[in-house]
């Protein structure tokens, strides 16, 4: 092989691996965010859910998810490993290591599932959650992934790509999908005791805001890998420029979202609401994810700010509807994920149309929501999904995990 | 274009982006460090300040800061984006993506501002702080940056570069500048209630030392990007060697600073003072930042150790002067930043002279201190900069943010 | 030089530096893990130990460790720096920056030492620990490193490499070595007061499980650098493929270890034991470290699962033997480190034989355990290694560091 081909292959592979490591790091971000936003008595359990879901996602995507999404008829690559010739059966030589592609893809699956854990926090049975994880990461997500990034047709009926659908790094494919699965779970699960009393939504403050802030910073950093790696190449001037624009715009959108949410919360509540600001940053990130490579920096900042404003109103609206989402995940990833999809044609009308984006959004949402609802319902019928009232009152840490998260700070209360 | 040019362009761009992501990560480091070193009742507010200042810095540097510092007459690049042809109007083709340059530069601005938030912690009004952030990141820092890294002359009077001034990654341009702005604020703000009583400085312990330690590790890691990226290229043997030396020496200086401060604190206080050790590591990092590429590893360790010793004495001296800096930021970044500048000629007399370093230090300090003092004074006159005594006693979290940082651990006290 | 040589040199150097930064980050991971698993009253001290051991390791490895391990007769390179010509005296030109090699190696030394601090937590004198750190990082580890990665013969008697020993990234050389040093310390030190009463092992819960979880995620992420960097090159198709497989398998093994430990703990204790799950993930990582490049993804997952199962039984067994290891470090790194060595011939019989692996394991263990035991014994005789009973009861934070880790949450108890 030519040395210049080898160097390009090596650089693209290294780029994928580093971006993948950053996305893996997002699992820590979700974990810290969610652990910071629940009460102390439910912390060990949400930590356990998060580390377990990441691990299950890695296993299920290896066993069948990757093949469903990209592999066509090859369900057994994990028995032989992925070689340099390309595991997906493509005829042309790969321009980066196929294992690096798997590594990058697998951390995305975990991201989708991480979104669910926050929304169902503080009252769901741990093993019911993990059973759902197996189905979502091994089947539900890979199926919709196959229709979008995989390029397959939706049950032989239509092809999203040919209808003007584009989702660069997954505002819809990853984030809205995770939120759809979460929404289905929350509807079947019901609200936490004491959340909605006499038609009023009570604030249930998180136990550890530095953790939530750390989690947001981790997600912000990891998102450089999430969006930046989705350019899928960096070893040419054109692709390198694109990756650079994506990093710059991802950062700008998060900044715009944070400032917008902070100002709006100041106007609405007269206080600098940290949790709204953090959700604003995350909303900015979700909003730019469907197309971070074509906006100008100013557009990216404004798109992020739109996400930051939308997320505040969405969180308030979901509380009116008594949809109890302790960390705001459905708003951040679902409502703003849809916004992200709809913003793509504004700056990239070559790749996407509004009708195409709507078709894609509906396809993803209906598929994930319906299959998730069925899955949650089956799990509910078989083993139940909600802890007992007494366990919820005592906190799920003791009943599910047998360990308090902060025994030296909270014991005796 | 030649494929080898493309590969070099791609590698340099990727290197900038990864280094930039590491510097962005320093924002999380400052946040955790400061959140760990304040009392529980003031934690939400310092978290809010830190996430907001980072975001404001990104916006202001886009709107005008970058243009002031590097762009000359181009104030509107953010409307059209930065293309591969170079945004700064240079005639020669760029050797890396211009957006990557912006991304790397913008995270530096945030670093300078992060230094301020720690020093003014526990008694400053949040919105006064954010107003100052707008001015520093959009104007004060970019102006002095234009005289140093930007190469412009100081008000048409003299040019620092031509007078033997060199500051590789910003001991003075970033760290001492941040400390100068902080000092101006602290002087106008006054000490925390109860800090200095009957001529004695009372220790006010931080609420969460694991967080402070985590923050230090994050900063240490991020500093590899801060200093390593400041080589500005890595795609040749020479530049790659330089980047490697910078990583090695940055690490060595931090290690030297930590051990020196730990030993000195042991001698002075008979205890292994963790917060002094952490400040020692940071001081080592600041000390090496003005020139990490020419010292030997032993010199880097010793320069770091000098920083670690100096910071302990500086913290004690500022307390004598009743300059109340809850996290030691003025000592770490200001006093040791000056040391860093003065150490450059020791190993790189080609680039810097002592007189040139002094001229640069005075220029930066006077500019930032005076403009900051004026800005703080205006903000003080218009909206006030200090919270009321009662708010300070109750903690600024409730009055400014309406949220406790640790409600399950501290409520009822 | 040819431009293609330069680009390869630059890419390999950058790869080393990024992997090294990730391994440095593991120091933060160990620190958070250990700080989360001890009681609040012993937290400041374990933080101090961890930041100090990292720094001491960097200094000692510079002063003599690197030369002992790789340099032969050159003990003074740190006086002149490492140049691009190669510091280790090799005749052939280096293919990456020698300083990058030092940086990558030095962070490994710190990893070995980090393992010790957890096992001896909550009752060892801080300065005794730091004295041991000097000896292990400057002499004990570099000696066994010289026999393995350095290629030297064991006291002129036999050469491990020629006898079928292979340890890719250090299951034995780093992890089991650290555990052997820890075991020697724990035996001389004795168990914590109250741990073993009336023949029963009492659980002593850690104070901050989110920190322990964060630490595990940090280690998981850092391990990509630890194992991925150990390919030692990435600028060709072959090496890039190898690095990609290593990233993928490292991740798979951690996932397998976590799930296996979680399920086993569920069966044994009827609870989803988070700390066992975390140790399972770490055990999976240790198990794959001796050979992450040849297994298939499925094998990597299963090897990790074997580690996850073994670590649970090992922790229970050590408690039966009254070997008190507060964080399970001896089980995770020692017992599973041995497993990792023995798994190498399963997938890479070209490089390793079972007899060769056993010879290597015995050599490393005997050397490190015996020299550590002697070192600990000397320190015990000279300054003592255990705090007084009263200090242990009050917590070592006050007596050793003079600072509480969480004064606002725990004061008044």
């Amino acid at each position: 092989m030519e040395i210049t081909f080898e160097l390009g292959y090596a650089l693209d592979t290294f780029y994928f691996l580093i971006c993948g490591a950053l996305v893996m790091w997002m699992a820590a971000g979700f974990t810290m965010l969610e652990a910071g936003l629940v009460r102390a008595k439910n912390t060990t359990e949400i930590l356990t859910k998060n580390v377990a879901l990441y691990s299950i996602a890695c296993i299920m995507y290896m066993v069948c998810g990757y093949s469903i999404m990209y592999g066509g008829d090859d369900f057994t690559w994990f028995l032989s490993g992925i070689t340099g010739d390309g595991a997906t059966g493509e005829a042309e030589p790969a321009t980066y290591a196929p294992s690096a592609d798997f590594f990058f893809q697998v951390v995305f699956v975990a991201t989708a599932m991480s979104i669910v854990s926050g929304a169902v926090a503080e009252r769901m049975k741990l093993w019911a959650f993990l059973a759902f994880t197996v189905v979502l990461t091994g089947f539900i997500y890979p199926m919709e992934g196959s229709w979008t990034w995989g390029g397959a047709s939706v049950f032989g009926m239509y092809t999203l790509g040919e209808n003007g659908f584009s989702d660069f790094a997954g505002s819809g494919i990853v984030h809205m999908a995770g939120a759809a699965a979460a929404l289905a779970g929350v509807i079947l699960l019901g609200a936490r005791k004491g959340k909605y009393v006499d038609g009023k939504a009570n604030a249930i403050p998180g136990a550890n805001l530095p953790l939530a802030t750390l989690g947001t910073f981790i997600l912000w950093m990891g998102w450089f890998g999430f969006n930046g790696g989705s350019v899928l190449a960096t070893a040419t001037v054109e692709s390198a420029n694109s990756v650079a624009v994506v990093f710059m715009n991802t950062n700008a959108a998060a900044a715009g979202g944070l400032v917008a949410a902070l100002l709006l919360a100041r106007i609405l509540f007269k206080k600098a609401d940290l949790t709204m600001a953090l959700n604003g940053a995350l909303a900015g990130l979700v909003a730019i994810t469907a197309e971070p490579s074509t906006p100008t920096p100013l557009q990216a900042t404004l798109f992020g700010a739109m996400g930051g404003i939308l997320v505040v109103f969405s969180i308030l609206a979901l509380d009116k509807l008594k949809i109890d989402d302790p960390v705001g995940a459905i708003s951040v990833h679902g409502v703003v994920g849809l916004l992200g999809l709809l913003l793509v044609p504004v700056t990239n009308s070559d790749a996407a149309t509004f009708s195409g984006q709507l078709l894609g959004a509906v396809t993803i949402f209906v598929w994930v929501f319906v299959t998730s609802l069925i899955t949650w319902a089956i799990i509910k019928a078989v083993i139940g999904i909600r802890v007992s009232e007494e366990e919820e009152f005592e906190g799920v840490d003791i009943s599910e995990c047998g360990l308090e998260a902060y025994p030296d700070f909270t014991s005796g209360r």
Side-chain angles (χ1 to χ4, degrees), chain A residues 9 13 26 63 76 90 156-157 170 172 182 203 244 279 287 307 311 327 352 368 392 398 401:
Chain A
Y9 184 102
T13 298
M26 290 172 72
V63 169
T76 56
E90 293 166 275
M157 297 186 298
N279 274 327
V311 81
V327 306
V368 177
E392 187 175 345
I398 297 298
C401 301

Side-chain angles (χ1 to χ4, degrees), chain A residues 93-139:
Chain A
T95 59
Y96 50 83
S99 321
D101 184 65
F102 174 77
F103 178 68
F104 185 67
Q105 298 289 342
V106 73
V107 289
F108 271 64
V109 191
T111 299
M113 190 62 215
S114 291
I115 294 163
V116 183
S117 60
V120 301
E122 302 206 297
R123 74 274 202 204
M124 180 175 273
K125 284 186 179 177
L126 190 140
W127 296 97
F129 177 83
L130 298 184
F132 181 80
T133 303
V134 170
V135 180
L136 183 102
T137 61
F139 179 64

Side-chain angles (χ1 to χ4, degrees), chain A residues 60-331:
Chain A
M60 290 307 299
Y61 201 64
M62 177 187 73
V63 169
C64 59
Y66 188 58
S67 299
I68 291 172
M69 192 154 161
Y70 293 108
D73 51 346
D74 177 10
F75 265 75
T76 56
W77 68 266
F78 56 96
L79 296 173
S80 57
I82 307 185
T83 66
D85 306 323
T88 57
E90 293 166 275
E92 63 209 284
T95 59
Y96 50 83
S99 321
D101 184 65
F102 174 77
F103 178 68
F104 185 67
Q105 298 289 342
V106 73
V107 289
F108 271 64
V109 191
T111 299
M113 190 62 215
S114 291
I115 294 163
V116 183
S117 60
V120 301
E122 302 206 297
R123 74 274 202 204
M124 180 175 273
K125 284 186 179 177
L126 190 140
W127 296 97
F129 177 83
L130 298 184
F132 181 80
T133 303
V134 170
V135 180
L136 183 102
T137 61
F139 179 64
I140 297 174
Y141 171 87
M143 281 300 287
E144 60 103 2
S146 75
W147 303 332
T148 48
W149 290 329
S153 74
V154 183
F155 296 123
M157 297 186 298
Y158 56 96
T159 309
L160 288 173
E162 290 175 6
N163 280 287
F165 174 77
S166 172
D167 188 2
F168 192 86
S171 285
I173 299 166
V174 178
H175 292 277
M176 200 187 67
L183 181 63
V186 167
I187 289 173
L188 284 190
L189 189 61
R192 290 168 292 173
K193 295 288 162 201
K195 176 66 187 172
Y196 303 111
V197 179
D198 301 333
K200 209 174 129 271
N202 294 314
I204 300 181
N208 198 329
L209 295 190
L211 273 195
T213 307
L214 176 65
T216 303
F217 270 120
I218 294 174
L219 287 166
W220 193 323
M221 187 198 201
W223 228 290
F224 296 130
F226 195 93
N227 286 359
S230 294
V231 178
L232 304 180
T234 202
T236 61
V237 167
E238 190 187 351
S239 58
N241 281 339
S242 186
V243 175
V245 168
V246 168
F247 269 64
M248 175 179 67
N249 282 346
T250 299
N251 191 57
L258 190 137
V259 171
L262 187 68
L263 290 174
L264 179 60
R266 175 72 184 76
I267 293 167
L268 295 178
F269 320 128
K270 315 288 175 216
K271 297 284 181 183
D273 188 315
L274 175 62
T275 58
M276 282 297 181
L278 300 179
N279 274 327
L282 298 175
L285 291 162
V286 172
I288 202 69
T289 292
E291 185 47 276
S293 72
T294 50
T296 65
L298 182 63
Q299 284 174 321
T301 306
L302 294 176
F303 290 175
M306 290 169 66
I309 288 167
L310 181 58
V311 81
V312 173
F313 287 117
S314 174
I315 287 172
L316 297 176
L318 287 187
D319 263 347
K320 294 268 179 216
L321 298 170
K322 298 190 181 173
I323 293 173
D324 182 20
D325 175 358
V327 306
I330 295 168
S331 297

